[in-house]
Amino acid sequence: MALFGNKGVHQWRGVIDEYRKWLPVSDATPVISLREGGTPLVHALYLSKLLGNEIWLKVEGTNPTGSFKDRGMTMAISKAAESGAKAVICASTGNTSASAAAYATKAGMKPVVLVPEGKIAMGKLAQAIAHGATLLQVKGNFDDCLTLARQLSDNYPVALVNSVNPYRIEGQKTAAFEVVDMLHEAPDIHVMPVGNAGNITAYWQGYQEYYKAKISKQLPMMWGFQAAGAAPIVKRKIIKNPETIATAIRIGNPASWDQAVIAQVASKGLIDSVTDKEILSAYRLVAAKEGIFVEPSSAAGLAGLIKKKAQRKLPKDKVIVITVTGNGLKDVQWVLNGAGKPIVIPVDLKRAAKVIGLK
Ligand SMILES: *Cc1c(COP(=O)(O)O)cnc(C)c1O
C-alpha cells in the first residue's frame, strides 16, 4: 500500500536502503528497519587535547534501541523475514536482546531472548520486555546462553540472530562506511570495545570493502579493548567465568575470535585489555567533558587510549575514531552510585542561590 504520509522529505532511510548495493539484499527482501545508522561522528575537542590526536566519537547510542546492534539486526531480521521465519532467538548480554525484540516485533515475529540471570542492565531488560520478547533468564553466563540458543535453532523452527549469523556482520560494517563517507578518508586508527568480537570484524570488513573500491586510500589500524576480567583474546585462552562491570563485553569465548585476530594482525593493530577502574573513569570523563553519555562497556575504547598514552605508546597527531557502542541511559547505576546525597531545598530564592554558589 502506498504511504499517504510519505512526501519525500529527505531523512536518513536506515542502513539497508542507504547502503543497499553493499549488502546481500534483493528486491525479494522485505526491509525491516527502524531507520538505524546515520549516527553522529562527533569531534571530541577535550579528548583531542588530552590525547594529542584528532579524536572523533562514533556515537552508536543514538541508534533506535540505543546501541550499534540495530545495524546488524535490520539485516538479520529482514533476511529472516525473507526466509519466512516466524520466530527468532538470540543469546544476549542485553543490547542484542533489546534490538532483536524491537525488530522482530516490527516484522510481526515472535522474539525469544536468553540472557544471563542477574547480569544484564535494567534498561536493557526493560526494553526486551517492552517489545514483547519471551525472556528467559539462564543460570549461566553469556557463553552458556549462546550455546543453548544455537541448540534451540538447530533443533526447532526458530532463526538464530546472534552475530554468528553472517547478516549481522554485514549490517554492522555500514558503520565503517559512514565514518569514511564523513571524513572522506579512513581514520589512522579505529578504536572500540571487544566482547563477542563481531563489531571489530564488521568494521574491518567495511573498511576493506571501501578500500578495495578505492573510496578510501588507506586502511585504519584496528585497536580493540577487552575488559581485564573478560579478556580471552589478550590472554589467548577461554575464560570460564568472565567478570567485569562492563556487562556488554562480559564474554569468555568470543564467537568471532579468529576474525578479530585477523583484523588486528592484518591492520597492524592491537587487542589489549583495560581494568574496570579504567573503564569507569573513561565512562565518567566522556560524559563530563564531551557531553556524551555512554554505557560502561562503551568506554573501554577510550580507556584503552588513555592507558596507551600513559604508557607512552600512543602516536601523536593521528586521526582516531572511537566507537562508543551504547547509550548511557541503559545502565545508570554507575552514575548514581557515585552521585552523593541529593540536595533538597525549600522553595526559597536566597537558599537556592546560596547552595548553587551564586552571589
Ligand atoms: C555488543 C556490545 C559490545 C561488544 O561488541 P562485540 O561485537 O560483541 O565485540 C560493546 N558495547 C556494547 C554497548 C554492546 O552492546
Side-chain angles (χ1 to χ4, degrees):
M1 192 170 59
L3 293 184
F4 181 73
N6 189 349
K7 297 291 185 286
V9 176
H10 181 74
Q11 189 186 28
W12 180 267
R13 292 168 294 172
V15 299
I16 294 179
D17 281 329
E18 294 290 338
Y19 292 109
R20 180 171 279 273
K21 73 168 196 176
W22 302 89
L23 295 168
V25 291
S26 72
D27 292 344
T29 315
V31 176
I32 310 298
S33 173
L34 295 166
R35 297 203 157 180
E36 60 295 316
T39 57
L41 185 65
V42 179
H43 181 230
L45 199 57
Y46 176 88
L47 294 177
S48 295
K49 282 190 188 139
L50 180 76
L51 297 168
N53 285 279
E54 184 180 315
I55 306 287
W56 294 83
L57 298 170
K58 184 66 172 153
V59 185
E60 291 289 279
T62 64
N63 274 297
T65 75
S67 85
F68 73 84
K69 300 297 197 299
D70 294 341
R71 294 178 183 276
M73 206 53 75
T74 183
M75 276 297 303
I77 299 290
S78 296
K79 295 303 280 190
E82 185 177 344
S83 71
K86 299 278 178 281
V88 298
I89 192 164
C90 68
S92 178
T93 58
N95 282 332
T96 297
S97 57
S99 186
Y103 282 79
T105 288
K106 170 102 189 180
M109 294 173 195
K110 179 181 168 56
V112 181
V113 305
L114 307 183
V115 299
E117 187 192 20
K119 294 291 182 184
I120 90 165
M122 283 302 235
K124 301 174 188 180
L125 202 62
Q127 285 180 288
I129 295 167
H131 295 308
T134 299
L135 180 83
L136 305 182
Q137 302 211 31
V138 179
K139 292 183 190 297
N141 60 33
F142 168 82
D143 306 284
D144 302 321
C145 293
L146 183 55
T147 304
L148 192 53
R150 277 177 150 149
Q151 289 168 347
L152 282 164
S153 77
D154 285 345
N155 292 291
Y156 299 91
V158 49
L160 183 68
V161 294
N162 273 101
S163 63
V164 289
N165 174 324
Y167 298 120
R168 289 271 309 280
I169 307 282
E170 290 288 332
Q172 285 175 207
K173 76 185 179 189
T174 59
F177 296 164
E178 289 175 22
V179 170
V180 177
D181 287 345
M182 171 104 178
L183 298 178
H184 294 267
E185 184 50 276
D188 299 309
I189 304 175
H190 194 117
V191 190
M192 69 183 78
V194 173
N196 217 19
N199 213 26
I200 193 166
T201 302
Y203 270 93
W204 181 237
Q205 187 177 326
Y207 280 125
Q208 282 180 297
E209 288 182 18
Y210 257 28
Y211 179 73
K212 282 180 190 146
K214 297 195 164 57
I215 296 171
S216 63
K217 292 195 200 61
Q218 69 172 20
L219 287 163
M221 287 194 276
M222 304 301 297
W223 285 18
F225 289 93
Q226 301 196 289
I233 302 179
V234 180
K235 296 193 169 142
R236 295 171 187 234
K237 62 164 204 243
I238 293 171
I239 308 294
K240 282 247 167 58
N241 296 304
E243 266 316 332
T244 168
I245 56 98
T247 50
I249 54 174
R250 185 174 170 272
I251 291 172
N253 187 12
S256 300
W257 188 326
D258 294 344
Q259 292 89 324
V261 173
I262 289 170
Q264 180 227 314
V265 172
S267 75
K268 302 188 173 64
L270 57 87
I271 296 178
D272 199 350
S273 64
V274 282
T275 63
D276 282 2
K277 207 171 152 211
E278 289 167 328
I279 290 172
L280 283 175
S281 146
Y283 160 79
R284 297 202 174 98
L285 189 74
V286 68
K289 298 295 186 184
E290 296 292 353
I292 294 172
F293 188 26
V294 304
E295 61 174 285
S297 308
S298 304
L302 174 58
L305 282 187
I306 294 170
K307 174 181 165 179
K308 291 291 163 195
K309 167 93 177 161
Q311 293 175 336
R312 299 176 183 278
K313 286 184 183 159
L314 190 66
K316 281 204 181 90
D317 300 325
K318 301 288 184 194
V319 175
I320 303 181
V321 173
I322 310 174
T323 297
V324 283
T325 44
N327 196 305
L329 292 172
K330 286 170 174 278
D331 192 2
V332 295
Q333 89 175 87
W334 301 102
V335 179
L336 300 180
N337 284 353
K341 273 186 30 197
I343 304 167
V344 181
I345 58 156
V347 186
D348 179 331
L349 175 63
K350 288 244 162 65
R351 283 281 291 280
K354 192 167 171 227
V355 173
I356 300 165
L358 299 172
K359 287 207 181 87

